[in-house]
Amino acid sequence: MGIEIERKFLVDHLPSSLTNQAGAIIRQGYVIIAEGGVELRIRQKGARFYQTIKAGEGLSRKEIEIELSEDQFHLLWPHTDGRWVSKTRYTLPVENHTAEVDRFDGDLTGLLLVEVEFASLEEASQFVPPGWFGTDVTEDHRYKNRHLAVHGIPGDKTP
Amino acid sequence: MGIEIERKFLVDHLPSSLTNQAGAIIRQGYVIIAEGGVELRIRQKGARFYQTIKAGEGLSRKEIEIELSEDQFHLLWPHTDGRWVSKTRYTLPVENHTAEVDRFDGDLTGLLLVEVEFASLEEASQFVPPGWFGTDVTEDHRYKNRHLAVHGIPGDKTP
């Protein structure tokens, strides 16, 4: 909950430390995708269920998350109308931060993204990505999960 | 859940049969108000709690409702940011339909609205309102609860 400051990158190559992890299986769908970065996302992570409301875009955006019961999740899921992604999430330390690597499944197989969350905008701008990170796509809307859920893996063309 | 077909009217005068009813106390707030009639509303009706997602406008709009726990409701309520209405709802038969009369409280004290739900668009258009109904405001966005929650009782000027 609150303001999230994070940067998102493509993954150039996976670090060897990742291969030991099982990862958490996540599926998430979008009940609402609206103007101004407004979205209502539901997510299953293992045996737990969540609803996240987002508003705003860029480095900072507002997030409101509550945990759902399994029943509530299954009532809402049909209303995602196929706008969903499935992925495995791996967590690992990068300097004094935590990086989350998402390996996508289904129509998005082959796509790998890594996100790092920061305590301040200053910290975010000073972050030096390690060698296994690829292009910074923080501001590239095509790599938002809501966009991936609808449009698939972005092509090679400039947006 | 599903498509709702309803008409909304101002109330010219309350029918005498209403004075015997206690009515249900409702408070509802808006976590999301976005373009295209998109909204996320949470509602307390007596001791029960609901979340309703709406999209679309006019006679027909999509609604998805789930029941919330009291805890979930109280986690979301602060995020309505003061966009809320409080009202007492009375239910009574009108011909073979059910009418819901809302008597608003707080900043909206004095406002009375009545809604009737129909099984089809044809039924909605054939409905002849009884004498105690006032102006048809079905298509007047100023009388949507989400608009009332932000802007208060509409003035006398044309929108």
Side-chain angles (χ1 to χ4, degrees):
Chain A
M1 206 173 297
I3 299 296
E4 237 185 22
I5 303 167
E6 54 191 25
R7 289 176 67 183
K8 185 187 287 188
F9 302 82
L10 296 178
V11 173
D12 188 72
H13 57 276
L14 284 176
S16 56
S17 61
L18 260 197
T19 53
N20 305 319
Q21 273 192 47
I25 293 170
I26 292 173
R27 63 166 173 162
Q28 61 193 38
Y30 296 83
V31 180
I32 293 179
I33 296 180
E35 297 296 313
V38 173
E39 67 182 47
L40 177 70
R41 184 189 77 193
I42 55 171
R43 171 184 277 181
Q44 177 175 7
K45 190 175 178 182
R48 301 185 76 166
F49 304 88
Y50 304 90
Q51 170 181 283
T52 306
I53 298 153
K54 299 194 182 192
E57 288 174 325
L59 276 175
S60 308
R61 67 186 320 204
K62 188 179 174 187
E63 287 204 8
I64 308 162
E65 185 170 274
I66 61 169
E67 189 157 359
L68 296 180
S69 70
E70 186 167 358
D71 284 350
Q72 289 175 321
F73 179 84
H74 288 297
L75 284 170
L76 292 174
W77 186 258
H79 297 283
T80 58
D81 295 332
R83 295 182 299 244
W84 56 272
V85 305
S86 169
K87 59 191 181 183
T88 305
R89 171 164 291 181
Y90 307 90
T91 304
L92 74 170
V94 169
E95 294 174 19
N96 56 335
H97 305 292
T98 299
E100 293 178 328
V101 174
D102 285 342
R103 183 205 295 265
F104 289 81
D105 307 319
D107 293 346
L108 298 168
T109 299
L111 180 62
L112 290 160
L113 291 171
V114 56
E115 275 192 333
V116 185
E117 193 166 345
F118 303 96
S120 67
L121 289 171
E122 191 185 6
E123 205 178 278
S125 64
Q126 286 172 352
F127 175 71
V128 179
W132 58 274
F133 278 39
T135 309
D136 184 336
V137 295
T138 308
E139 302 292 342
D140 189 336
H141 74 281
R142 299 174 305 160
Y143 288 96
K144 291 187 186 307
N145 277 253
R146 59 187 270 180
H147 193 275
L148 295 169
V150 177
H151 301 286
I153 298 181
D156 293 333
K157 291 171 190 160
T158 323
Chain B
M1 208 172 295
I3 301 294
E4 237 185 24
I5 303 167
E6 53 192 24
R7 289 177 66 183
K8 185 188 287 187
F9 301 83
L10 296 178
V11 173
D12 188 73
H13 57 276
L14 285 175
S16 55
S17 59
L18 261 197
T19 54
N20 305 320
Q21 274 193 45
I25 294 171
I26 291 174
R27 63 166 174 161
Q28 61 193 39
Y30 295 85
V31 180
I32 292 178
I33 297 181
E35 298 296 313
V38 173
E39 67 182 46
L40 176 71
R41 183 189 78 193
I42 55 172
R43 171 184 276 182
Q44 178 175 8
K45 189 174 179 183
R48 300 186 76 166
F49 304 88
Y50 304 90
Q51 170 181 281
T52 306
I53 298 152
K54 299 194 182 191
E57 288 174 325
L59 275 175
S60 307
R61 69 186 318 202
K62 188 179 174 187
E63 286 204 9
I64 308 161
E65 185 169 273
I66 60 169
E67 188 156 1
L68 297 181
S69 69
E70 185 167 359
D71 284 350
Q72 288 174 322
F73 179 85
H74 288 297
L75 283 170
L76 292 174
W77 186 257
H79 298 284
T80 58
D81 297 330
R83 295 183 299 245
W84 55 273
V85 304
S86 170
K87 59 191 181 184
T88 305
R89 171 163 291 180
Y90 307 90
T91 304
L92 75 171
V94 170
E95 294 173 19
N96 56 335
H97 305 291
T98 299
E100 293 178 327
V101 174
D102 285 342
R103 183 204 295 264
F104 289 82
D105 306 320
D107 293 346
L108 299 168
T109 298
L111 180 63
L112 290 160
L113 291 171
V114 57
E115 276 190 334
V116 184
E117 193 165 346
F118 302 96
S120 67
L121 289 170
E122 190 184 7
E123 205 179 277
S125 64
Q126 286 173 351
F127 176 70
V128 179
W132 58 274
F133 278 40
T135 309
D136 184 336
V137 294
T138 307
E139 302 293 341
D140 188 336
H141 74 281
R142 300 174 305 160
Y143 288 97
K144 292 189 185 303
N145 277 252
R146 58 187 271 182
H147 193 274
L148 295 169
V150 177
H151 301 285
I153 297 180
D156 292 333
K157 291 171 191 157
T158 322

